[in-house]
Each structure stands twice: as C-alpha cells, then as structure tokens.
C-alpha cells in the first residue's frame, strides 16, 4: 500500500507539515521519516541546547542515507515564520542567510527537509563574530581502540580543568567523542581556534603515544587526533542528539563523565536515546549555567609560551576542503610537502567508488598492500561546493623503499568543481 503524501502535526502550538511521513529512512531498524520527526520533538529540550538559536547549515539526505547529502547554507525562501535567520559572512567573501531554529517546531521543519543531523555554527544569531562554544573533536585514526579514545578524552578534561574550563562529553555518533566547552563570547574565531589548537598540543604533550595534534593526517599514526580545526570559521559539527547517517540510526549522545569509560557508540541509537532522554533527561543540562561558562585567557597565555605551531595549508580555515579529514601537504599549496612517502590512488564522487578504487589498487600491489598498517590507508572525505567527494591515498612508510609502488595515473579522477563558474573569471 502506498504511503501517505503528507501529514500535519502540532508541535508546541504550531502546525508542521511532514511530507511522505511513511518513507523508510533507516531500513535496518525500520524507521520512517515521521519516526525521525517524532524523535526530535521528544528530545527537543536537549537538541535545542546544542543547536537552538544558532545559524545552521542544512545537511540534506534527500536521496537516502546510502547516498551523499548536499549542504545547503541558504535558508529556503519558503521557510515558515517560526524559523529565524541570520546572515553569515564567510571567510571567502561570500555570505548566506542561514536558518536559525528556536523551538521544537523548527526541529521538525528541518527534519522534514531531509536533515538527519543538526549542524550549527558555534555562535549565537545575536553575535556572529564571537563564538560561545569551543569544540573538541577526538577523531580516532584507523587502528585506534575505544579505550584509547576514552583515555584521550580524560586527558583533555584534565587540561580543561587546569585552565579553568568545563568540558561536556558526548559521543560523536560515529567512532569518536566530542567535548563541548561553553565560553564567554569575548574572543573572535581566530583566538578561539588558537585556544583549541593550544589545548590539542597540550593533550599531545601529556599523552604523546595516545594523542596527536598533527595537522598532516599521514603523521598521526594510530593515535587519536585532537581536531582543533573544527573551531575554524565556517566549520560546523553535528550537535547533541543528532541522528547520524549510519544503518543503525546512531545518535550523538551527551554523557556524564562517569559514563564515558563504559559507553559504546553503538549503544546510542534513535530508539534507545529517546528512552534514555525520557528517563534521565539531558546530562548536558548545566552547560549554560553561569558556573560552566569559562574564559580563554589561560589557554591563550599557554599559546604564547608554546610559540607558533606548524602552519596549516592555505585555505585551511575555509570550508572548501576537509581539514580534519584531509591534511595533504603535497597538493600544490606552495607551503609544504609531506615528509611521508604518499601516493594518491583516486578521487571519487562517492565513498563506495573510493573503496572500490582502493581494492583495485590493493589487488594490483598485493605485496605492498600486505605491509600496510591501518593508519596508512587514507580515505578522506573532502568538502566540495555543496557536497562531499573522496580522495584515496596510501602512505608507504612501512613498505621498504625499494619495494614501494610508484605514483601511477589515478584510478578515478573526479573533479568536484567541474563546470563551476568562479567569481572574477
């Protein structure tokens, strides 16, 4: 039987139209679009604590979770009057009037557009130049165990405490951990990013075998990358209670610190988190209390003591690349070439195509492939103009020099900017 074309639901006294409510979004657990909307309404208090009042990029999965989403910065012209907007000035000189959600009806509206996770900027709509949130993204490299991620999270919490700051942990909804820090909105993006980078360097200094603050991905090894890049202007991160595009409908879930050690990301799904929220409420409920709002003076003093870090590649603070995922140093940026023996295998439009190209390369070079460590295989999701594309590289550091395959023609050479007209050209 065909599903309904649309239903109208009442959310907080507002009417929200949900198109194709019976469409199955997550086939494995059998979750529909209406299930997703009702989940966000049920956890709205927590979700709004993370995303409410902030301009957000709309990450729309209109073709399903197994297809790449597209990123929509500009709010649709037909948005309802309960959706506010804020005009952001991007580092490349462009601007966009973005959606600002302030209530549960707004959450239902963005989900109806095909958004699964919420991607707010770290600023409030009332002050777009001064972030009030410092974001720590603990990104495990291949070969990294959950226990190692947890250890780094506690080192980061200790560093924060030493500098008078309070960290609020949550699962990323994938493999890692996020720690959010509420700060007074008195510093600009450059200063906040510097403070985050300094924290990352201090974590690496205290736990050099576990954590890495290295920009260049090929130099991180099997460690946890403390991704300070997420604090650059134009960057967004999936906020609390966001549902991620994984088959089990996994959720980015706030935790108490005494839960972190025994937590496992796969335990927190749309269904289990909805029940957890109803029973326990939001562990991050205190993040906006006056005692939780900290200052960056101490971290910025440490930045002066440590001196300049390695310069990132050109354009790193923008949104065209994916600094956390990429970090290539040999791509013509004119500043630095990687010291690692890297070869590039492919550039593709989708991740399945990237993995297929990697399998083809492995089949062609079985001896070298057998010597690779997990962290030697670099499949990087890169941000294009409105969607992701993928680059596949291999670090041959564990292959004897005489046996290293040479750089060959790319097995796929997708150009994410083909056909785009650039300003001033």
């Amino acid at each position: 039987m065909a599903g309904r074309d649309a239903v109208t639901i009442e959310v907080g006294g507002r009417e929200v139209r949900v198109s194709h409510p019976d469409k199955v979004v997550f086939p494995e657990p059998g979750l529909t679009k209406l299930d997703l909307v009702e989940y966000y309404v049920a956890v709205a208090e927590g979700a709004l604590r993370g995303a409410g009042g902030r301009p957000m990029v709309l990450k729309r999965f209109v073709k399903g979770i197994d297809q790449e989403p597209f990123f929509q910065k500009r709010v649709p012209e037909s948005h309802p009057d309960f959706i506010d907007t804020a005009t952001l000035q991007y580092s490349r000189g462009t601007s966009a009037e973005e959606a600002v959600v302030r209530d549960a009806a707004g959450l239902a509206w963005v989900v109806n557009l095909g958004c699964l996770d919420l991607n707010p900027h770290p600023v409030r709509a009332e002050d777009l130049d001064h972030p009030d949130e410092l974001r720590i993204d603990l990104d495990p490299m291949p070969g990294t165990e959950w226990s190692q991620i947890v250890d780094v999270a506690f080192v980061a919490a200790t560093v924060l405490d030493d500098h008078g700051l309070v960290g609020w942990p949550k699962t990323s909804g994938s493999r890692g951990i996020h720690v959010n820090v509420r700060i007074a909105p008195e510093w600009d993006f450059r200063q906040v990013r510097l403070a985050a980078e300094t924290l990352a360097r201090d974590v690496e200094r205290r736990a050099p075998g576990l954590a890495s603050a290295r920009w260049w991905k090929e130099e991180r090894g099997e460690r946890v990358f403390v991704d300070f890049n997420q604090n650059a202007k134009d960057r967004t991160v999936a906020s609390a209670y966001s549902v991620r595009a994984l088959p089990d409908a996994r959720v980015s879930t706030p935790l108490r610190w005494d839960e972190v050690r025994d937590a496992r990301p796969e335990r927190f799904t749309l269904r289990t988190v909805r029940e957890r929220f109803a029973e326990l409420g939001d562990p991050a409920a205190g993040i906006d209390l006056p005692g939780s709002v900290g200052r960056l003076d101490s971290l910025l003093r440490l930045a002066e003591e440590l001196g300049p870090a390695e310069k990132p590649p050109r354009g790193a603070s923008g949104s065209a690349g994916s600094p956390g995922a990429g970090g290539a140093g040999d791509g013509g940026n004119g500043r630095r070439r990687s010291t690692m023996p890297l070869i590039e295998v492919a550039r593709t439009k989708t991740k399945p195509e990237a993995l297929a190209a990697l399998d083809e390369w492995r089949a062609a070079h079985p001896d070298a492939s057998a010597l690779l460590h997990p962290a030697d295989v670099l499949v990087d999701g890169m941000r294009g103009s409105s969607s992701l594309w993928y680059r596949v590289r291999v670090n041959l550091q564990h292959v004897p020099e005489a046996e290293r395959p040479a750089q060959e023609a790319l097995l796929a050479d997708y150009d994410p900017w083909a056909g785009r007209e650039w300003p001033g050209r």
Side-chain angles (χ1 to χ4, degrees):
M1 183 174 67
R4 294 167 290 179
D5 289 335
V7 296
T8 298
I9 62 174
E10 183 175 326
V11 183
R14 305 184 189 279
E15 291 189 345
V16 181
R17 182 179 183 273
V18 180
S19 60
H20 308 292
D22 303 317
K23 177 183 178 182
V24 176
V25 180
F26 292 94
E28 187 175 293
L31 294 168
T32 66
K33 187 177 183 182
L34 186 59
D35 290 329
L36 192 64
V37 171
E38 291 176 341
Y39 159 80
Y40 272 108
V41 172
V43 302
E45 179 186 350
L48 290 169
R49 190 169 284 116
R54 303 177 183 277
M56 68 168 62
V57 174
L58 303 176
K59 184 180 177 183
R60 302 177 63 181
F61 290 84
V62 295
K63 296 183 179 179
I65 63 170
D66 57 347
Q67 299 294 320
E68 297 296 334
F70 74 90
F71 297 86
Q72 182 174 341
K73 295 178 180 178
R74 290 171 176 80
V75 63
E77 292 184 4
S78 58
H79 64 273
D81 58 8
F82 55 81
I83 296 294
D84 286 345
T85 65
T87 301
L88 274 73
Q89 303 294 326
Y90 281 85
S91 57
R92 290 194 168 193
T94 61
S95 65
E97 185 180 13
E98 297 192 5
V100 178
V101 169
R102 297 192 183 275
D103 56 21
L107 293 174
W109 180 79
V110 299
V111 173
N112 182 57
L113 293 178
C115 298
L116 302 182
D117 50 358
L118 309 175
N119 289 268
H121 291 268
V123 293
R124 304 282 181 176
E126 293 75 20
D127 184 351
L128 301 176
D129 297 318
H130 300 94
D132 72 335
E133 188 167 85
L134 183 147
R135 297 168 171 176
I136 303 169
D137 180 5
L138 302 181
D139 183 12
M141 296 296 100
T144 304
E145 300 294 332
W146 176 255
S147 60
Q148 183 174 335
I149 306 168
V150 170
D151 288 338
V152 175
F154 279 106
V155 174
T158 301
V159 173
L160 289 171
D161 186 60
D162 288 348
H163 292 280
L165 296 166
V166 180
W168 299 82
K170 67 183 181 73
T171 64
S172 70
S174 181
R175 294 181 58 238
I177 292 176
H178 294 163
V179 182
N180 291 335
V181 183
R182 190 67 80 237
I183 59 175
E186 299 178 14
W187 294 271
D188 60 23
F189 278 95
R190 182 190 62 80
Q191 293 168 307
V192 173
R193 184 185 180 281
L194 175 60
E197 182 180 28
T198 303
L199 180 143
R201 294 172 69 188
D202 200 13
V203 171
E204 181 186 52
R205 185 171 61 171
R206 299 188 191 201
L210 296 174
S212 173
R214 305 292 180 92
W215 179 282
W216 310 99
K217 186 174 182 180
E218 63 271 17
E219 296 180 357
R220 297 173 195 159
E222 294 173 12
R223 294 183 288 174
V224 177
F225 177 43
V226 186
D227 190 355
F228 53 89
N229 306 309
Q230 302 294 7
N231 295 275
K233 191 174 184 180
D234 305 353
R235 298 302 299 271
T236 61
V237 178
S239 59
Y241 297 99
S242 286
V243 181
R244 309 308 299 273
L246 295 173
D248 57 0
R250 201 170 296 186
V251 171
S252 179
T253 308
L255 304 171
R256 301 187 311 270
W257 277 108
D258 62 6
E259 296 180 289
V260 171
R261 178 67 62 185
D262 296 326
R264 294 295 183 275
E266 63 271 14
R267 296 176 186 170
F268 301 102
T269 65
L270 184 151
R271 288 197 173 110
T272 63
V273 171
R274 181 171 179 174
E275 294 174 359
R276 169 185 166 90
F277 190 87
E279 294 175 4
L280 304 177
D282 182 13
I287 192 171
D288 289 312
L289 296 177
S292 298
V293 180
R295 300 185 58 80
L296 297 182
D297 306 81
S298 181
L299 275 175
L300 293 175
R301 283 195 296 270
L302 179 60
E304 294 182 0
E305 295 173 12
L306 294 179
E310 181 183 26
K311 289 185 178 181
R314 184 179 304 163
S317 63
S319 59
S322 181
D330 57 348
N333 60 50
R335 290 192 180 183
R336 189 260 203 196
R337 289 183 178 273
S338 175
T339 59
M340 294 293 181
L342 290 173
I343 60 172
E344 187 169 10
V345 173
R347 299 183 177 196
T348 67
K349 185 176 182 179
T350 68
K351 191 169 185 178
E353 291 172 327
L355 297 178
L358 176 61
D359 287 344
E360 183 178 345
W361 183 89
R362 283 184 177 277
H365 304 284
D367 294 338
S369 180
L371 297 173
L372 299 179
H373 291 200
D376 292 339
V377 178
L378 310 173
V379 180
D380 305 329
M382 312 293 289
R383 182 74 66 86
S385 59
S386 62
S387 62
L388 291 176
W389 60 281
Y390 292 86
R391 179 178 57 179
V392 182
R393 295 175 298 151
V394 175
N395 187 348
L396 300 173
Q397 62 180 326
H398 294 110
V399 180
E401 186 171 358
E403 302 173 23
R404 291 172 183 169
Q407 175 67 58
E408 301 166 335
L410 298 182
L411 296 176
D413 193 6
Y414 171 68
D415 182 357
W417 297 282
R420 177 172 174 174
E421 294 185 5
W422 298 94
R425 293 188 181 181

